[in-house]
Amino acid sequence: MRKQLLVALAAAALTATAVPAYASPTKSAVNWGACPADVPASLQCASVEVPLDYRNPDGKKISVEISRLPSTEPAKRRGVLLLNPGGPGGLGLALPFTLAQLGVPASLLAEYDLIGFDPRGIDHSSPVNCDLKPDQMSFTPRYAHNREEVVQASAAAKQIARQCAASASAAVLPYLTTANTARDMDQIRTALGEAKISYFGLSYGTYLGAVYASLFPDQTDRFVLDSVVGPTGVDLTTARRFAEGMQDRFPDFAKWAAVRNGIYGLGATPAEVTANFSRIADKLDQHPAWGVDGSIFRLGTHSLTYQTQTFPVLAQAWQALLGNQAPPAGVFQPRATGPEQSQRATMLSVVCGDNAWPRSISTYQRNVVEDRAAYPMIGGATANVWPCAHWPYQPIEPPVQFSDQGPSNLLLVQNTRDPATPLSGALETREAFGDRARMVTVDQGGHGVGLPHLNSCGFGAVADYLVNGTRPATDKFCGAETNAAPTPQQQQAASKLMEQLRQH
């Protein structure tokens, strides 16, 4: 077993909102060794001990597992690039390997040691558990058609919250927050002997990176936030924005399917395809079949719009349902990509612990009415009651506030039609950071910009900044592109990454 590392802490106790001041060593204290068996063997791994509660740095410790893909040219190495795949609850140890498989430039692999990590609470980093049953693994509420179905969703959400409070992990859950994960990142920086870190975060990882940049501005080097969550984090507003993202993104699928009506038979026009969405959903509301009801169909369709490459899978599933046949197994209920108990428990803890959610059922009943009208495709689900409405713990500190005071070294990249993190939230984060940030907006749909096979203009901006330090002088717009199909290796790596994001 690798020797765990106790990272030096500040002598003074940390208050709920204070930022600790750590001295940066000049030499790494990390003893790299072999990774766990489920992590690619080409990576190196180590453990870093961090405080469970940063207000009590001498108290209970937990372990955070980190991984490294070393620079291919140490003489050219700039530093470390920390990575986060999103979630919250996303597995991060394999991410350096995944990025290499996606085909990032050789110059980027030379510039940095790529550093992955399982955030606190997940898999190899002191995993937690809420003893969830298989039918409780998805926290997105069911689609509510009326007030009574909101009451039913509230009861289901309350049961999940109760199970978390009764679990063996209950005492740890309140400390699984974005702010504490950001502090863990700074402990990792310290352990690695780095004065600063660079960062690439996707989806929820953009909020984590933005929180780090707010708590530790002087320790940031080049920060890239891809598919940007709004400045309030994954809260009630962000949950409701999933429905906005679906309405933004679905027309892309409707146009794609209409062009291929001769193959799939989903409609000759985008309007006909959209009408078939409602037709299938209404039918499954009345007569669920093959383990799929209207709510599962709606939310499963949403998750399959994250990548255009999954449109054929979605179209085939629709085709089967329209023909009264079973859709392919696992299409509307994604398979788990890892230790889902710890992922789900951590996700709940972060989402419910970062912000206090409304507790009145009437609030959600009003929201459901509003969002069913504004965003009819899935608004009745995403505005419904989440477990956070019954979470047994109050947040241990206020949410971190973003500020325009600090180094100007943030690059935000965002699609115009993102189904998970809509443009509206990204614009709010951009505004909050002011001159600290630049944003590259890409005229395309889907979740993710800064990956090699998605958009050459958007990815080029990311690579140019991380490798050369060249960031647009002003905000930039990238037009739509018809890209070459990804290689099989790229497609496999991207599918694994997006399959994980679909579950969160």
Side-chain angles (χ1 to χ4, degrees):
M1 178 181 293
R2 285 185 307 277
K3 181 181 179 181
Q4 292 186 328
L5 304 167
L6 178 57
V7 180
L9 298 168
L14 184 66
T15 64
T17 57
V19 178
Y22 300 112
S24 297
T26 58
K27 183 179 179 181
S28 173
V30 172
N31 295 322
W32 295 105
C35 288
D38 58 346
V39 177
S42 58
L43 300 178
Q44 303 167 338
C45 288
S47 297
V48 175
E49 280 192 349
V50 300
L52 173 64
D53 181 0
Y54 278 86
R55 299 168 302 178
N56 180 22
D58 295 322
K60 180 179 174 61
K61 305 297 190 297
I62 59 174
S63 175
V64 173
E65 191 78 1
I66 63 175
S67 64
R68 178 175 71 165
L69 184 65
S71 163
T72 56
E73 298 184 52
K76 296 182 179 180
R77 177 187 178 277
R78 177 181 180 83
V80 296
L81 178 66
L82 265 67
L83 309 169
N84 183 272
L91 302 168
L93 280 184
L95 192 52
F97 175 83
T98 300
L99 283 188
Q101 292 290 101
L102 283 168
V104 297
S107 54
L108 189 146
L109 298 177
E111 194 82 3
Y112 299 98
D113 292 346
L114 301 187
I115 305 295
F117 66 104
D118 279 352
R120 57 169 53 203
I122 302 168
D123 196 14
H124 299 291
S125 295
S126 303
V128 295
N129 193 318
C130 278
D131 302 315
L132 298 173
K133 299 175 183 177
D135 62 353
Q136 295 175 317
M137 288 297 178
S138 175
F139 304 135
T140 307
R142 297 184 57 75
Y143 191 97
H145 301 81
N146 51 54
R147 293 174 63 87
E148 178 56 33
E149 290 182 350
V150 177
V151 175
Q152 294 170 5
S154 179
K158 181 182 289 187
Q159 179 58 37
I160 290 175
R162 285 175 173 171
Q163 286 173 219
C164 290
S167 72
S169 304
V172 174
L173 300 183
Y175 305 100
L176 305 184
T177 65
T178 300
N180 278 343
T181 303
R183 294 175 181 126
D184 293 345
M185 288 169 55
D186 205 58
Q187 298 281 55
I188 293 169
R189 176 193 64 79
T190 304
L192 293 174
E194 301 289 336
K196 296 184 178 184
I197 60 171
S198 293
Y199 179 83
F200 177 84
L202 177 66
S203 192
Y204 160 79
T206 65
Y207 182 63
L208 174 60
V211 167
Y212 183 92
S214 300
L215 292 177
F216 304 96
D218 294 335
Q219 279 70 54
T220 59
D221 189 14
R222 298 170 182 172
F223 265 52
V224 175
L225 311 181
D226 182 347
S227 304
V228 185
V229 175
T232 57
V234 186
D235 63 351
L236 177 63
T237 297
T238 298
R240 296 176 71 180
R241 276 186 170 139
F242 278 111
E244 176 186 345
M246 176 65 161
Q247 297 293 148
D248 290 344
R249 172 62 163 158
F250 186 80
D252 291 339
F253 174 71
K255 292 175 185 177
W256 181 94
V259 171
R260 296 162 179 79
N261 185 49
I263 302 174
Y264 300 108
L266 305 184
T269 66
E272 290 180 4
V273 176
T274 304
N276 271 326
F277 174 87
S278 298
R279 176 186 171 190
I280 297 171
D282 292 345
K283 179 180 178 180
L284 291 171
D285 280 338
Q286 299 297 320
H287 304 288
W290 308 291
V292 180
D293 59 19
S295 187
I296 291 173
F297 167 77
R298 291 179 175 92
L299 296 172
T301 294
H302 171 248
S303 70
L304 283 166
T305 65
Y306 277 34
Q307 269 196 308
T308 300
Q309 285 78 13
T310 59
F311 280 2
V313 175
L314 179 58
Q316 291 166 10
W318 277 38
Q319 184 181 42
L321 291 170
L322 283 171
N324 295 316
Q325 297 178 350
V331 170
F332 291 119
Q333 294 172 307
R335 296 177 295 274
T337 59
E340 58 179 354
Q341 281 287 350
S342 69
Q343 291 180 273
R344 298 304 191 271
T346 299
M347 179 185 181
L348 267 180
S349 300
V350 172
V351 172
C352 302
D354 280 359
N355 293 277
W357 288 53
R359 298 199 172 249
S360 170
I361 293 178
S362 62
T363 297
Y364 297 93
Q365 289 173 325
R366 288 193 301 272
N367 292 348
V368 163
V369 171
E370 292 176 5
D371 287 10
R372 275 205 318 263
Y375 311 114
M377 303 192 86
I378 64 171
T382 52
N384 206 349
V385 185
W386 294 64
C388 300
H390 302 287
W391 197 240
Y393 316 105
Q394 290 297 316
I396 60 174
E397 62 182 306
V400 174
Q401 299 298 308
F402 298 172
S403 170
D404 59 2
Q405 300 300 304
S408 184
N409 60 359
L410 306 177
L411 177 64
L412 283 56
V413 289
Q414 176 70 33
N415 287 330
T416 55
R417 301 181 303 283
D418 190 313
T421 56
L423 179 61
S424 58
L427 291 172
E428 290 180 4
T429 294
R430 170 68 184 87
E431 182 178 7
F433 278 116
D435 194 52
R436 294 186 66 188
R438 301 289 184 270
M439 189 160 93
V440 175
T441 305
V442 180
D443 183 18
Q444 69 180 17
H447 194 45
V449 177
L451 302 178
H453 64 289
L454 297 177
N455 180 281
S456 63
C457 176
F459 175 70
V462 171
D464 200 23
Y465 182 46
L466 290 177
V467 174
N468 302 313
T470 305
R471 194 183 62 157
T474 61
D475 289 354
K476 178 180 178 179
F477 185 82
C478 291
E481 296 179 0
T482 301
N483 297 324
T487 66
Q489 177 176 290
Q490 287 178 323
Q491 184 58 50
Q492 182 180 25
S495 295
K496 288 181 179 179
L497 181 58
M498 290 300 162
E499 184 73 13
Q500 185 176 160
L501 287 171
R502 284 178 62 199
Q503 299 180 62
H504 299 284

XYZ file of all heavy atoms in Angstrom, residues 261-329:
521
model
N -35.470 10.948 -42.535
C -36.782 10.330 -42.327
C -36.901 9.002 -43.072
O -37.570 8.072 -42.600
C -37.891 11.280 -42.786
C -39.272 10.746 -42.480
O -39.548 10.329 -41.360
N -40.148 10.746 -43.486
N -36.237 8.884 -44.209
C -36.286 7.627 -44.953
C -35.612 6.477 -44.229
O -35.913 5.307 -44.493
N -34.731 6.791 -43.278
C -34.042 5.751 -42.512
C -34.805 5.406 -41.236
O -35.031 4.223 -40.931
C -32.612 6.206 -42.152
C -31.818 6.525 -43.407
C -31.906 5.139 -41.299
C -30.440 7.120 -43.132
N -35.229 6.438 -40.514
C -35.786 6.222 -39.179
C -37.308 6.416 -39.090
O -37.932 5.926 -38.155
C -35.117 7.157 -38.166
C -33.628 6.960 -38.075
C -32.749 7.915 -38.591
C -33.086 5.818 -37.487
C -31.378 7.745 -38.514
C -31.715 5.643 -37.413
C -30.860 6.604 -37.928
O -29.510 6.430 -37.853
N -37.879 7.164 -40.006
C -39.327 7.366 -39.997
C -39.827 8.170 -38.812
O -40.915 7.911 -38.301
N -39.074 9.170 -38.399
C -39.467 9.963 -37.231
C -40.175 11.250 -37.608
O -40.619 11.995 -36.725
C -38.236 10.301 -36.377
C -37.386 9.125 -35.906
C -36.271 9.611 -34.988
C -38.230 8.072 -35.215
N -40.302 11.529 -38.901
C -40.970 12.742 -39.358
C -40.218 13.366 -40.507
O -38.982 13.380 -40.512
N -40.941 13.902 -41.466
C -40.321 14.496 -42.648
C -39.893 15.934 -42.418
O -39.150 16.497 -43.220
C -41.293 14.426 -43.837
N -40.377 16.539 -41.354
C -40.008 17.913 -41.014
C -39.654 17.965 -39.532
O -40.069 17.097 -38.746
C -41.171 18.878 -41.274
O -42.247 18.574 -40.374
C -41.666 18.778 -42.721
N -38.900 18.988 -39.122
C -38.616 19.128 -37.685
C -39.885 19.196 -36.847
O -39.909 18.665 -35.725
C -37.805 20.422 -37.615
C -37.123 20.505 -38.938
C -38.114 19.966 -39.921
N -40.919 19.825 -37.361
C -42.182 19.910 -36.615
C -42.781 18.527 -36.400
O -43.323 18.230 -35.321
C -43.160 20.821 -37.345
N -42.695 17.663 -37.419
C -43.228 16.307 -37.265
C -42.402 15.504 -36.262
O -42.958 14.729 -35.471
C -43.248 15.599 -38.626
C -44.281 16.158 -39.596
C -44.265 15.431 -40.938
O -43.506 14.438 -41.082
O -44.992 15.855 -41.848
N -41.099 15.678 -36.283
C -40.259 14.987 -35.302
C -40.613 15.446 -33.891
O -40.751 14.633 -32.968
C -38.762 15.248 -35.594
C -37.888 14.615 -34.499
C -38.380 14.682 -36.960
N -40.789 16.741 -33.710
C -41.138 17.280 -32.403
C -42.495 16.753 -31.953
O -42.680 16.418 -30.772
C -41.145 18.818 -32.448
O -39.877 19.281 -32.908
C -41.417 19.402 -31.076
N -43.442 16.662 -32.870
C -44.766 16.122 -32.531
C -44.648 14.665 -32.096
O -45.383 14.206 -31.193
C -45.702 16.259 -33.718
N -43.729 13.921 -32.699
C -43.553 12.519 -32.307
C -42.939 12.399 -30.921
O -43.173 11.409 -30.221
C -42.705 11.781 -33.343
C -43.541 11.178 -34.455
O -44.672 10.744 -34.208
N -43.007 11.162 -35.657
N -42.140 13.384 -30.506
C -41.653 13.383 -29.119
C -42.838 13.376 -28.162
O -42.904 12.548 -27.231
C -40.777 14.614 -28.864
C -40.356 14.768 -27.421
C -39.210 14.149 -26.939
C -41.108 15.526 -26.533
C -38.819 14.285 -25.611
C -40.731 15.672 -25.201
C -39.582 15.054 -24.738
N -43.762 14.295 -28.364
C -44.932 14.372 -27.485
C -45.800 13.117 -27.611
O -46.330 12.616 -26.608
C -45.767 15.610 -27.835
O -45.025 16.792 -27.632
N -45.911 12.597 -28.818
C -46.731 11.397 -29.034
C -46.183 10.217 -28.243
O -46.931 9.502 -27.553
C -46.760 11.070 -30.529
C -47.497 9.785 -30.880
C -47.345 9.485 -32.371
N -47.847 8.170 -32.716
C -47.661 7.590 -33.894
N -46.986 8.242 -34.846
N -48.146 6.382 -34.133
N -44.863 9.991 -28.324
C -44.263 8.867 -27.601
C -44.352 9.085 -26.096
O -44.705 8.170 -25.339
C -42.791 8.690 -28.027
C -42.699 8.341 -29.505
C -42.131 7.590 -27.197
C -41.273 8.366 -30.051
N -44.042 10.306 -25.649
C -44.072 10.585 -24.216
C -45.478 10.387 -23.653
O -45.651 9.771 -22.587
C -43.591 12.010 -23.953
N -46.500 10.910 -24.347
C -47.881 10.773 -23.864
C -48.305 9.304 -23.831
O -48.985 8.860 -22.888
C -48.828 11.569 -24.761
C -48.624 13.074 -24.639
O -47.975 13.506 -23.670
O -49.102 13.810 -25.526
N -47.906 8.556 -24.838
C -48.252 7.133 -24.888
C -47.622 6.377 -23.722
O -48.293 5.558 -23.055
C -47.790 6.543 -26.224
C -48.087 5.059 -26.382
C -47.598 4.557 -27.731
C -47.844 3.060 -27.888
N -47.351 2.572 -29.209
N -46.357 6.672 -23.440
C -45.688 5.977 -22.345
C -46.167 6.467 -20.983
O -46.066 5.734 -19.990
C -44.174 6.157 -22.470
C -43.535 5.426 -23.666
C -42.076 5.843 -23.832
C -43.636 3.906 -23.491
N -46.685 7.695 -20.899
C -47.319 8.143 -19.667
C -48.513 7.252 -19.329
O -48.729 6.898 -18.161
C -47.811 9.591 -19.813
C -46.709 10.617 -19.641
O -45.673 10.285 -19.020
O -46.880 11.753 -20.132
N -49.264 6.900 -20.352
C -50.471 6.097 -20.146
C -50.167 4.603 -20.045
O -50.801 3.888 -19.256
C -51.450 6.340 -21.316
C -51.905 7.783 -21.456
C -52.676 8.257 -20.256
O -53.497 7.528 -19.680
N -52.412 9.509 -19.844
N -49.201 4.150 -20.826
C -48.921 2.707 -20.890
C -47.407 2.466 -20.917
O -46.818 2.227 -21.975
C -49.569 2.092 -22.136
C -51.045 2.322 -22.241
N -51.959 1.683 -21.428
C -51.766 3.153 -23.054
C -53.181 2.076 -21.735
N -53.090 2.981 -22.715
N -46.748 2.528 -19.766
C -45.308 2.233 -19.731
C -45.021 0.836 -20.272
O -45.819 -0.101 -20.086
C -44.965 2.336 -18.247
C -46.065 3.165 -17.648
C -47.291 2.845 -18.434
N -43.885 0.697 -20.924
C -43.529 -0.603 -21.503
C -42.012 -0.736 -21.518
O -41.289 0.251 -21.666
C -44.090 -0.719 -22.923
N -41.560 -1.985 -21.360
C -40.134 -2.317 -21.435
C -39.319 -1.516 -20.413
O -38.150 -1.173 -20.644
C -39.592 -2.066 -22.844
C -40.413 -2.723 -23.904
C -40.540 -4.065 -24.147
C -41.247 -2.059 -24.855
N -41.399 -4.280 -25.194
C -41.847 -3.067 -25.646
C -41.553 -0.731 -25.127
C -42.727 -2.772 -26.669
C -42.428 -0.445 -26.143
C -43.003 -1.447 -26.899
N -39.924 -1.199 -19.273
C -39.236 -0.454 -18.241
C -39.094 1.023 -18.540
O -38.325 1.724 -17.855
N -39.807 1.518 -19.541
C -39.722 2.921 -19.936
C -41.094 3.561 -19.800
O -42.069 3.082 -20.381
C -39.223 3.064 -21.389
C -39.145 4.533 -21.794
C -37.883 2.375 -21.567
N -41.172 4.634 -19.021
C -42.400 5.417 -18.970
C -42.123 6.788 -19.582
O -41.028 7.066 -20.075
C -42.932 5.534 -17.535
C -41.946 6.193 -16.585
O -41.006 6.885 -17.049
O -42.105 6.020 -15.353
N -43.130 7.655 -19.541
C -42.977 8.950 -20.188
C -41.863 9.781 -19.587
O -41.135 10.486 -20.305
N -41.697 9.718 -18.282
C -40.655 10.496 -17.627
C -39.268 9.992 -18.016
O -38.378 10.789 -18.356
C -40.828 10.427 -16.107
O -39.933 11.293 -15.461
N -39.074 8.687 -18.002
C -37.783 8.112 -18.392
C -37.476 8.440 -19.843
O -36.333 8.766 -20.201
C -37.786 6.586 -18.154
C -37.810 6.292 -16.654
C -36.587 5.929 -18.815
C -37.992 4.831 -16.318
N -38.490 8.383 -20.699
C -38.289 8.704 -22.118
C -37.861 10.154 -22.297
O -36.918 10.451 -23.041
C -39.569 8.436 -22.902
C -39.557 9.017 -24.285
C -38.840 8.404 -25.299
C -40.248 10.193 -24.566
C -38.807 8.954 -26.581
C -40.224 10.746 -25.847
C -39.505 10.119 -26.852
N -38.547 11.066 -21.620
C -38.209 12.482 -21.760
C -36.764 12.759 -21.333
O -35.989 13.410 -22.045
C -39.165 13.338 -20.925
C -40.606 13.383 -21.421
C -41.460 14.243 -20.490
N -42.809 14.402 -20.981
C -43.834 13.609 -20.659
N -43.615 12.582 -19.817
N -45.027 13.828 -21.146
N -36.417 12.279 -20.133
C -35.084 12.560 -19.598
C -34.001 11.790 -20.347
O -32.881 12.290 -20.519
C -35.049 12.239 -18.110
C -35.975 13.118 -17.252
C -36.030 12.605 -15.827
C -35.529 14.569 -17.283
N -34.327 10.578 -20.811
C -33.365 9.823 -21.600
C -33.095 10.462 -22.943
O -31.948 10.484 -23.420
N -34.125 11.007 -23.551
C -33.929 11.735 -24.800
C -33.019 12.941 -24.578
O -32.110 13.215 -25.365
C -35.278 12.184 -25.381
O -36.039 11.033 -25.776
C -35.090 13.084 -26.601
N -33.259 13.658 -23.492
C -32.414 14.808 -23.174
C -30.947 14.400 -23.063
O -30.063 15.034 -23.647
C -32.890 15.448 -21.868
C -31.978 16.495 -21.325
N -31.271 16.326 -20.146
C -31.618 17.710 -21.799
C -30.543 17.405 -19.920
N -30.733 18.263 -20.899
N -30.664 13.335 -22.328
C -29.267 12.954 -22.106
C -28.590 12.506 -23.394
O -27.369 12.648 -23.537
C -29.178 11.848 -21.045
O -29.688 10.624 -21.535
N -29.356 11.999 -24.352
C -28.773 11.539 -25.609
C -28.589 12.663 -26.613
O -28.153 12.416 -27.746
C -29.631 10.421 -26.204
C -29.447 9.059 -25.514
C -30.541 8.094 -25.908
C -28.076 8.473 -25.835
N -28.898 13.887 -26.231
C -28.574 15.028 -27.087
C -27.253 15.678 -26.695
O -26.856 16.666 -27.303
C -29.688 16.090 -27.042
O -29.779 16.648 -25.716
C -31.029 15.500 -27.454
N -26.550 15.132 -25.697
C -25.291 15.722 -25.263
C -24.252 15.707 -26.380
O -23.422 16.606 -26.468
C -24.734 14.959 -24.058
C -25.310 15.358 -22.722
C -26.638 15.748 -22.594
C -24.536 15.321 -21.573
C -27.162 16.108 -21.359
C -25.053 15.680 -20.334
C -26.369 16.070 -20.237
O -26.886 16.424 -19.017
N -24.273 14.661 -27.207
C -23.347 14.539 -28.324
C -24.121 14.246 -29.590
O -25.021 13.389 -29.607
C -22.352 13.395 -28.097
C -21.062 13.767 -27.398
C -20.033 12.669 -27.595
O -20.292 11.503 -27.343
N -18.851 13.037 -28.054
N -23.770 14.916 -30.678
C -24.414 14.629 -31.959
C -24.135 13.193 -32.388
O -24.961 12.571 -33.066
C -23.916 15.623 -33.029
O -24.244 16.949 -32.611
C -24.571 15.358 -34.372
N -22.989 12.644 -31.973
C -22.658 11.265 -32.345
C -23.644 10.253 -31.774
O -23.695 9.109 -32.246
C -21.231 10.928 -31.877
C -20.128 11.540 -32.720
C -19.906 13.010 -32.408
O -20.409 13.529 -31.410
N -19.162 13.691 -33.258
N -24.435 10.630 -30.750
C -25.412 9.694 -30.203
C -26.795 9.843 -30.838
O -27.717 9.118 -30.470
C -25.544 9.862 -28.677
O -25.938 11.212 -28.378
C -24.233 9.553 -27.981
N -26.940 10.758 -31.785
C -28.241 10.915 -32.439
C -28.735 9.620 -33.090
O -29.923 9.289 -32.996
C -28.169 12.029 -33.486
C -28.263 13.430 -32.926
C -28.352 13.666 -31.562
C -28.256 14.528 -33.784
C -28.424 14.952 -31.042
C -28.337 15.824 -33.285
C -28.423 16.033 -31.920
N -27.876 8.843 -33.780
C -28.377 7.591 -34.349
C -28.921 6.628 -33.295
O -29.929 5.944 -33.532
C -27.148 7.001 -35.059
C -26.294 8.184 -35.374
C -26.479 9.114 -34.211
N -28.290 6.558 -32.141
C -28.783 5.695 -31.065
C -30.160 6.162 -30.608
O -31.082 5.359 -30.408
C -27.791 5.689 -29.885
C -28.337 4.891 -28.709
C -26.436 5.156 -30.321
N -30.308 7.471 -30.435
C -31.595 8.026 -30.020
C -32.656 7.774 -31.080
O -33.793 7.384 -30.758
C -31.442 9.526 -29.759
C -32.693 10.293 -29.336
C -33.284 9.704 -28.068
C -32.359 11.774 -29.136
N -32.303 7.976 -32.344
C -33.270 7.770 -33.424
C -33.727 6.312 -33.495
O -34.916 6.033 -33.712
C -32.653 8.199 -34.752
N -32.802 5.388 -33.315
C -33.178 3.972 -33.335
C -34.122 3.628 -32.189
O -35.050 2.833 -32.356
C -31.919 3.112 -33.271
C -31.057 3.177 -34.526
C -29.672 2.597 -34.307
O -29.392 1.971 -33.278
N -28.772 2.825 -35.255
N -33.890 4.222 -31.025
C -34.767 3.972 -29.887
C -36.158 4.535 -30.138
O -37.169 3.877 -29.842
C -34.164 4.591 -28.629
N -36.234 5.723 -30.683
C -37.539 6.298 -31.047
C -38.239 5.422 -32.088
O -39.448 5.172 -32.001
C -37.338 7.690 -31.640
C -37.196 8.803 -30.676
C -36.542 8.797 -29.484
C -37.705 10.133 -30.850
N -36.602 10.033 -28.906
C -37.315 10.868 -29.718
C -38.427 10.765 -31.852
C -37.638 12.222 -29.569
C -38.748 12.104 -31.714
C -38.371 12.818 -30.576
N -37.486 4.994 -33.072
C -38.049 4.165 -34.137
C -38.688 2.901 -33.566
O -39.802 2.503 -33.955
C -36.953 3.806 -35.135
C -37.420 3.019 -36.353
C -36.240 2.700 -37.269
O -35.156 2.342 -36.799
N -36.449 2.850 -38.560
N -37.999 2.291 -32.600
C -38.544 1.092 -31.969
C -39.831 1.410 -31.216
O -40.831 0.682 -31.332
C -37.505 0.486 -31.031
N -39.830 2.478 -30.450
C -41.012 2.827 -29.660
C -42.198 3.174 -30.548
O -43.338 2.811 -30.241
C -40.686 3.987 -28.725
C -39.728 3.655 -27.575
C -39.294 4.929 -26.865
C -40.383 2.693 -26.586
N -41.953 3.885 -31.645
C -43.046 4.206 -32.563
C -43.606 2.948 -33.208
O -44.791 2.903 -33.574
C -42.557 5.174 -33.648
C -42.399 6.635 -33.214
C -41.691 7.433 -34.308
C -43.761 7.250 -32.899
N -42.776 1.926 -33.337
C -43.224 0.664 -33.910
C -43.671 -0.340 -32.871
O -43.785 -1.544 -33.169
N -43.906 0.144 -31.636
C -44.361 -0.724 -30.536
C -43.382 -1.857 -30.255
O -43.769 -2.991 -29.962
C -45.760 -1.299 -30.833
C -46.819 -0.221 -30.877
O -46.851 0.667 -30.024
N -47.672 -0.274 -31.894
N -42.096 -1.522 -30.331
C -41.060 -2.491 -30.028
C -40.170 -1.956 -28.906
O -40.139 -0.747 -28.639
C -40.208 -2.774 -31.279
C -40.992 -3.407 -32.418
C -40.127 -3.633 -33.644
O -39.001 -3.155 -33.707
N -40.660 -4.350 -34.626
N -39.450 -2.865 -28.267
C -38.575 -2.466 -27.164
C -37.372 -1.699 -27.693
O -36.750 -2.108 -28.678
C -38.103 -3.694 -26.399
N -37.023 -0.596 -27.060
C -35.790 0.110 -27.454
C -34.576 -0.695 -27.024
O -34.673 -1.573 -26.153
C -35.889 1.430 -26.683
C -36.689 1.088 -25.470
C -37.687 0.042 -25.916
N -33.429 -0.441 -27.613
C -32.209 -1.146 -27.186
C -31.979 -0.994 -25.683
O -32.234 0.062 -25.108
C -31.108 -0.466 -27.995
C -31.807 0.093 -29.203
C -33.160 0.490 -28.727
N -31.525 -2.041 -25.052
C -31.315 -2.038 -23.602
C -30.330 -0.947 -23.198
O -29.297 -0.762 -23.838
C -30.801 -3.404 -23.140
